[in-house]
Amino acid sequence: MLGKIGISVLGLLITSPCWAQEPMSPLPEDDSKTVIRIGGFYSNSNSSMDVTNPILGNDFEIDFEQDLKLEESQFLPFFEVFYHFNDKHSLYIDWKQLHRNADVQQITTPFQVNLDDQIYDIQLGAKIKTTLNIDIARIGYGYNFLQGNNYNLGLSLGLHAMFIETGFEGNIGACIDGGSLDTCGATPTNQMVEESVTAPLPDIGLYGDYEFMPGFRFTAHAQYFYIKLDDLKGNLVDIRAGVEAEITENWHMTAAFNYYEVDVDYVHKKTQADLHIANYNLHYSFIGPMLSVSYHF
């Protein structure tokens, strides 16, 4: 009797497999995406720094391109990574490099500059080499607050970190504590004199994209911030607009135009007696086209 019952139960399970096992639910689709973009931009730079006239004693702006002969136009690299958690949330990081140096055989505008809490004197006719290296890193978070079938509009919160190195090498005089303006050039220094400043500037911005035809998308972002913290004051403007074309499902190409401006004012803690020298105030901007290729996965 028990054998017949067992055979009947086994036959019932075989003919009705759904009783023995619940149907599996489909796995949720992973809508995260990573974008890696590499490219270059042709920058038309304008940079200046506040210095002091050793004869008149007044502050003025010395132009790195006009007065110190730094190259005005350059083709420079950049790198960007975006990670999209889903359609609304993303993280991004990018980096630009702007390194320049130039030699001047005869300085036509003498000036004094405060670098690393030391005053230096560059006299009329001096031969010097100028270095201005700027690296810009950007990291942040983006949130798409408005979306449609072919457009997105979002808000970004992030941080620009600028690594700035300003240096001079050549016929330079070092001012001695307690000295006067007239004796600043009497103590020559043969080494490179420089100031390295890291300027973290938080930013807030808007970004968006619009697919105006299949495979072609207009993209743009605008960021701005102003900060005053202890001895550092600065502001930035970062604007970019361009068109992204889908070459394949994974490979895209972008042509854009970028405008970037930053002012960094750094008050030195140490001053020398009876010498009025301008603080380290650097003003920098560039504008130019950008071309990049990106991989989406």
Side-chain angles (χ1 to χ4, degrees), residues 122-139:
I122 301 174
Q123 298 182 346
L124 182 69
K127 178 182 178 181
I128 63 168
K129 178 180 180 179
T130 304
T131 297
L132 180 60
N133 295 336
I134 300 177
D135 290 89
I136 305 169
R138 189 173 64 109
I139 186 171

Side-chain angles (χ1 to χ4, degrees), residues 195-242:
E195 174 85 64
S196 295
V197 175
T198 300
L201 298 175
D203 60 74
I204 184 170
L206 287 173
Y207 64 89
D209 60 80
Y210 172 69
E211 188 175 25
F212 55 90
M213 63 183 295
F216 291 88
R217 185 176 296 271
F218 173 78
T219 65
H221 79 238
Q223 295 178 325
Y224 173 80
F225 206 82
Y226 171 86
I227 189 172
K228 184 175 182 180
L229 180 65
D230 296 331
D231 301 319
L232 178 68
K233 180 175 67 174
N235 65 279
L236 69 87
V237 177
D238 185 2
I239 301 172
R240 185 193 301 180

Side-chain angles (χ1 to χ4, degrees), residues 7 50 59 70 82 86 91 97 105 109 127 165-166 172 193 201 204 221 232 243 264 269-270 274:
I7 293 173
D50 288 357
D59 297 343
L70 289 189
F82 297 85
N86 47 46
L91 293 175
Q97 182 185 76
Q105 299 302 316
T109 306
K127 178 182 178 181
E165 180 185 12
T166 310
I172 302 171
V193 296
L201 298 175
I204 184 170
H221 79 238
L232 178 68
V243 175
V264 177
K269 297 179 180 179
K270 178 183 176 183
D274 301 324

Side-chain angles (χ1 to χ4, degrees), residues 11-281:
L12 185 60
L13 291 174
I14 293 174
T15 55
S16 305
C18 61
W19 292 7
Q21 180 177 329
E22 291 293 330
M24 294 182 64
S25 301
L27 294 174
E29 184 179 350
D30 183 10
D31 55 358
S32 64
K33 181 175 69 172
T34 302
V35 179
I36 299 176
R37 178 176 291 120
I38 299 175
F41 62 96
Y42 188 77
S43 69
N44 189 21
S45 300
N46 180 25
S47 43
S48 62
M49 183 173 63
D50 288 357
V51 295
T52 300
N53 188 311
I55 300 174
L56 302 177
N58 61 302
D59 297 343
F60 69 99
E61 283 190 356
I62 191 165
D63 191 289
F64 281 93
E65 290 78 26
Q66 298 299 319
D67 299 321
L68 301 177
K69 308 306 178 185
L70 289 189
E71 191 173 357
E72 185 174 357
S73 300
Q74 278 184 303
F75 189 76
L76 301 164
F78 73 91
F79 174 77
E80 298 176 338
V81 176
F82 297 85
Y83 177 69
H84 300 266
F85 296 100
N86 47 46
D87 289 339
K88 287 187 174 294
H89 304 275
S90 62
L91 293 175
Y92 59 84
I93 183 170
D94 63 39
W95 166 84
K96 301 182 185 73
Q97 182 185 76
L98 306 104
H99 288 190
R100 294 178 295 166
N101 58 71
D103 292 302
V104 177
Q105 299 302 316
Q106 282 191 329
I107 286 292
T108 58
T109 306
F111 63 93
Q112 290 179 327
V113 61
N114 194 339
L115 298 177
D116 197 23
D117 286 328
Q118 172 65 54
I119 298 173
Y120 296 98
D121 180 78
I122 301 174
Q123 298 182 346
L124 182 69
K127 178 182 178 181
I128 63 168
K129 178 180 180 179
T130 304
T131 297
L132 180 60
N133 295 336
I134 300 177
D135 290 89
I136 305 169
R138 189 173 64 109
I139 186 171
Y141 162 78
Y143 173 71
N144 294 337
F145 62 84
L146 186 62
Q147 292 180 305
N149 292 331
N150 59 348
Y151 68 88
N152 292 286
L153 186 63
L155 176 70
S156 66
L157 296 172
L159 182 73
H160 276 70
M162 294 188 61
F163 307 94
I164 306 169
E165 180 185 12
T166 310
F168 301 99
E169 184 177 9
N171 304 128
I172 302 171
C175 300
I176 302 174
D177 285 335
S180 65
L181 287 171
D182 296 333
T183 61
C184 271
T187 308
T189 176
N190 296 319
Q191 63 183 9
M192 177 80 165
V193 296
E194 62 182 2
E195 174 85 64
S196 295
V197 175
T198 300
L201 298 175
D203 60 74
I204 184 170
L206 287 173
Y207 64 89
D209 60 80
Y210 172 69
E211 188 175 25
F212 55 90
M213 63 183 295
F216 291 88
R217 185 176 296 271
F218 173 78
T219 65
H221 79 238
Q223 295 178 325
Y224 173 80
F225 206 82
Y226 171 86
I227 189 172
K228 184 175 182 180
L229 180 65
D230 296 331
D231 301 319
L232 178 68
K233 180 175 67 174
N235 65 279
L236 69 87
V237 177
D238 185 2
I239 301 172
R240 185 193 301 180
V243 175
E244 179 178 334
E246 182 178 327
I247 309 303
T248 68
E249 182 179 356
N250 298 104
W251 291 98
H252 295 215
M253 181 171 288
T254 302
F257 205 79
N258 195 192
Y259 174 74
Y260 189 93
E261 178 183 340
V262 63
D263 294 334
V264 177
D265 300 337
Y266 178 68
V267 179
H268 286 275
K269 297 179 180 179
K270 178 183 176 183
T271 58
Q272 294 179 216
D274 301 324
L275 292 181
H276 167 75
I277 301 296
N279 286 311
Y280 180 87
N281 299 335

